[in-house]
Amino acid sequence: QVQLVESGGGSVQAGGSLRLSCEVSGDTRSSNYMGWFRQPPGKGREGVAHISLSGGSTYYADSVKGRFTISQDNAKNTVYLQMHSLKPEDTAMYYCAAEMAQGRTWWAGCRFGYWGQGTQVTVSS
């Protein structure tokens, strides 16, 4: 089992920045990828970014390329999502996710099955 705890959400004005953190614990031996997803109000969940924990390669949704950066700190067992130039359309509940072989969410070549509780990001215009 993998446990994920997100933090760092909040309310900012358009153009502002936030950094989300995801503290990872438990047995992560089978989770080679970590990701961030978001669910805007009234919409479905969508992938934002993922990172390979072994090689550090990253992948981003087109909507956040050039504005968001996913990174990891292995010493702290934490994955980050640095968000710049935030837009009102970035408003959503943001979820951290870990790869799981039997996970039900398939995105950008990875299957995710462990989820955090989420952290709210609100961007005002």
Side-chain angles (χ1 to χ4, degrees):
Q1 291 289 328
V2 176
Q3 292 80 45
L4 307 171
V5 179
E6 304 98 333
S7 61
S11 297
V12 296
Q13 290 190 326
S17 299
L18 282 174
R19 187 178 78 160
L20 306 183
S21 300
C22 174
E23 186 174 340
V24 184
S25 61
D27 186 357
T28 60
R29 288 176 294 176
S30 60
S31 297
N32 295 315
Y33 285 84
M34 293 292 300
W36 285 95
F37 289 73
R38 67 186 182 186
Q39 186 165 12
K43 298 183 179 180
R45 188 166 54 190
E46 61 187 33
V48 175
H50 69 54
I51 185 168
S52 164
L53 298 182
S54 57
S57 62
T58 57
Y59 180 89
Y60 297 92
D62 287 343
S63 59
V64 306
K65 279 181 183 177
R67 300 188 299 122
F68 292 10
T69 302
I70 188 171
S71 62
Q72 58 177 316
D73 185 332
N74 291 332
K76 296 182 178 180
N77 293 324
T78 301
V79 176
Y80 302 98
L81 185 68
Q82 179 68 57
M83 306 183 293
H84 293 299
S85 302
L86 283 162
K87 305 175 181 180
E89 51 263 45
D90 294 318
T91 294
M93 184 70 79
Y94 282 71
Y95 297 92
C96 180
E99 183 186 27
M100 179 183 180
Q102 294 79 34
R104 299 177 64 179
T105 298
W106 177 264
W107 180 69
C110 297
R111 190 174 295 277
F112 295 91
Y114 297 106
W115 299 91
Q117 293 299 307
T119 185
Q120 177 69 37
V121 172
T122 302
V123 185
S124 59
S125 58

